[in-house]
Amino acid sequence: QVQLVESGGGLVQPGGSLRLSCAASGDTLDYYGIGWFRQAPGKPREGVSCISRRDGSTYYAESVKGRFTISRDIAKNAMYLQMNSLKPEDTAVYYCAVIAQWKITTVEIWCSVGENDYWGQGTQVTVSS
């Protein structure tokens, strides 16, 4: 069992930045692919960014490329999402999630489909002036 707790969400003006954190407990993230997903009101959940532990390959949704950066800190057993140049359309509840590494075919398929073994509770990000 892996417990995930997100933090760092909030209200930010367009063009601003936020850094989301996800602290893991119960198991080491070293065995998992890690990802960030989001869901806006009335929209389906989408994969924002994911990392495969096997080869370090990453996936970013087209809408966030060049603005968001995913990272992990194995020593702290944590993962992060640095979000820059935020736009109103980035407003959503953001979730961190992990999947056992052996279940990943490609990071693109995994992140697009969004099936994971464990999920955090979510943190609200609102981009508004």
Side-chain angles (χ1 to χ4, degrees), residues 2 8 10 21 24-25 27 43 45 55 63 67 77 83 87 92 121-122 126:
V2 179
S21 300
S25 60
D27 201 356
K43 294 186 178 182
R45 185 183 62 207
D55 56 8
S63 59
R67 301 187 298 122
N77 213 29
M83 305 186 295
K87 304 175 181 180
Q121 82 287 355
T126 302

Side-chain angles (χ1 to χ4, degrees), residues 51-89:
I51 297 180
S52 169
R53 179 60 176 159
R54 181 186 301 119
D55 56 8
S57 57
T58 57
Y59 167 91
Y60 289 94
E62 284 295 326
S63 59
V64 307
K65 280 184 180 178
R67 301 187 298 122
F68 289 13
T69 303
I70 189 173
S71 63
R72 73 164 82 205
D73 187 328
I74 296 299
K76 294 183 178 180
N77 213 29
M79 53 195 280
Y80 308 96
L81 185 68
Q82 178 67 44
M83 305 186 295
N84 299 327
S85 303
L86 283 161
K87 304 175 181 180
E89 50 264 43

Side-chain angles (χ1 to χ4, degrees), residues 8-14 17-18 20 41 83 86-94 123-129:
L11 173 64
V12 63
Q13 292 187 341
S17 298
L18 281 175
L20 303 184
M83 305 186 295
L86 283 161
K87 304 175 181 180
E89 50 264 43
D90 294 318
T91 296
V93 178
Y94 284 71
T123 185
Q124 177 70 46
V125 171
T126 302
V127 185
S128 175
S129 55

